[in-house]
Amino acid sequence: MKICHFLYNKKSYWGAFRNNLVFPFPDSGLEKENLNDLNLTHNVEARLVKFLLPVSPSKIVCVGRNYAEHAAELGNEIPKIPLLFLKAPSALITEGETIVIPKQSNQIEHEGELGIVISKECRNLTETDNPFDFVLGYTCLNDVTARDLQKLDVQFTRAKSFDTFCPVGAFIETEVDVSDLQIRTRVNGIIKQDGRTSQMVFPVEYLIRYISNQMTLFPGDLIATGTPPGVSKLNVGDLCEVEIEGIGCLKNPISN
Ligand code: MG
């Protein structure tokens, strides 16, 4: 199922997305007669439905250098333990919204990543706990980075947290096996990053368990699992797409 959050007739609802239609959840508050209207006639392409952010995380936990070839392309060693940093939730945007280049940077880059959405409070998981029991689903995520400022500051906070620097897909996919999915980033239709989630240094289940032992994860929290090689500069007028097999495609234009 693809969970979505959408605006219809000036009110927001949660539902499922299928065949280009939204299906409000029974407890979403939408009247039954309106619900039928929405299913049958209010096609997404008719723009009567606007997608809203499907997550409201207390934090976005990111993993750096989690694909060996990406670590190498930036001249870094593969970490021996997951390299964690935080991205500000105020950086979130969703499908179709614009990534804005801040005046402070001359080098912003895309990092297409698999995003994990946490379903329930998660703390100090052990080897006997199943990390997937704490996952609501997965989404496409772009860990947009001001590369020049990342190098200048050493700390990642500013380079990763400008407003609009965390696009996530409009849907949370709840039924996909993420152990070996193709993940691609295109800029203006040209493939820049092309990897597989099986190439992660630390896989999804390892990351959830590890992070839960550093900080409590709450429902809706996001984990950005690192990016394959091929990061490149984004310029005004570009269209950046992050596509993950079985999950979807996240498209965002670039502006200043
Ligand atoms: Mg990243």
Side-chain angles (χ1 to χ4, degrees), residues 43-96:
N43 190 300
V44 171
E45 286 181 351
R47 301 194 182 279
L48 293 169
V49 167
K50 176 182 168 19
F51 289 111
L52 303 171
L53 268 173
V55 285
S56 182
S58 73
K59 55 192 165 298
I60 305 166
V61 187
C62 304
V63 185
R65 303 169 196 163
N66 198 30
Y67 289 76
E69 286 182 45
H70 169 63
E73 74 179 341
L74 296 181
N76 295 307
E77 300 277 316
I78 301 169
K80 293 191 171 52
I81 55 172
L83 169 63
L84 303 184
F85 61 93
L86 294 170
K87 207 167 167 79
S90 49
L92 283 164
I93 56 173
T94 189
E95 167 65 28

Side-chain angles (χ1 to χ4, degrees), residues 3 14 53-61 92 113-122 131-141 168-174 176 178 204 208 217-225 247:
I3 296 173
W14 289 92
L53 268 173
V55 285
S56 182
S58 73
K59 55 192 165 298
I60 305 166
V61 187
L92 283 164
E113 308 195 6
L114 173 73
I116 307 168
V117 183
I118 296 296
S119 62
K120 54 186 174 185
E121 192 169 315
C122 178
F132 293 112
D133 291 344
F134 298 84
V135 173
L136 176 63
Y138 304 90
T139 191
C140 304
L141 186 150
V168 294
F171 316 115
I172 301 168
E173 173 56 61
T174 62
V176 65
V178 292
V204 165
I208 297 167
L217 291 167
F218 295 107
D221 278 358
L222 261 176
I223 298 173
T225 55
I247 295 179

Side-chain angles (χ1 to χ4, degrees), residues 30-237:
L30 206 58
E31 298 289 330
K32 198 163 181 13
E33 53 269 33
N34 293 340
L35 187 150
N36 287 335
D37 273 357
L38 198 60
N39 282 350
L40 297 172
T41 62
H42 292 160
N43 190 300
V44 171
E45 286 181 351
R47 301 194 182 279
L48 293 169
V49 167
K50 176 182 168 19
F51 289 111
L52 303 171
L53 268 173
V55 285
S56 182
S58 73
K59 55 192 165 298
I60 305 166
V61 187
C62 304
V63 185
R65 303 169 196 163
N66 198 30
Y67 289 76
E69 286 182 45
H70 169 63
E73 74 179 341
L74 296 181
N76 295 307
E77 300 277 316
I78 301 169
K80 293 191 171 52
I81 55 172
L83 169 63
L84 303 184
F85 61 93
L86 294 170
K87 207 167 167 79
S90 49
L92 283 164
I93 56 173
T94 189
E95 167 65 28
E97 296 187 307
T98 302
I99 298 167
V100 178
I101 302 175
K103 61 181 186 308
Q104 294 91 330
S105 174
N106 293 310
Q107 181 80 21
I108 81 157
E109 298 184 355
H110 55 81
E111 293 189 1
E113 308 195 6
L114 173 73
I116 307 168
V117 183
I118 296 296
S119 62
K120 54 186 174 185
E121 192 169 315
C122 178
R123 186 174 180 218
N124 291 336
L125 296 190
T126 67
E127 288 298 321
T128 58
D129 293 311
N130 181 359
F132 293 112
D133 291 344
F134 298 84
V135 173
L136 176 63
Y138 304 90
T139 191
C140 304
L141 186 150
N142 194 343
D143 175 22
V144 180
T145 302
R147 196 69 69 201
D148 47 355
L149 303 183
Q150 186 185 28
K151 289 173 183 158
L152 188 71
D153 290 0
V154 183
Q155 296 284 333
F156 291 6
T157 307
R158 181 166 70 128
K160 298 281 189 177
S161 293
F162 284 101
D163 289 358
T164 76
F165 269 29
C166 194
V168 294
F171 316 115
I172 301 168
E173 173 56 61
T174 62
E175 295 165 53
V176 65
D177 175 354
V178 292
S179 57
D180 183 28
L181 300 176
Q182 183 174 60
I183 174 165
R184 278 182 164 168
T185 307
R186 291 183 290 270
V187 178
N188 304 327
I190 297 165
I191 296 171
K192 297 289 188 178
Q193 297 184 272
D194 189 0
R196 301 198 68 85
T197 55
S198 52
Q199 297 164 336
M200 287 183 193
V201 177
F202 302 102
V204 165
E205 60 271 32
Y206 187 97
L207 291 175
I208 297 167
R209 187 179 288 120
Y210 179 81
I211 294 166
S212 81
N213 279 273
Q214 322 304 322
M215 63 191 89
T216 303
L217 291 167
F218 295 107
D221 278 358
L222 261 176
I223 298 173
T225 55
T227 201
V231 295
S232 70
K233 187 178 181 183
L234 292 169
N235 297 292
V236 173

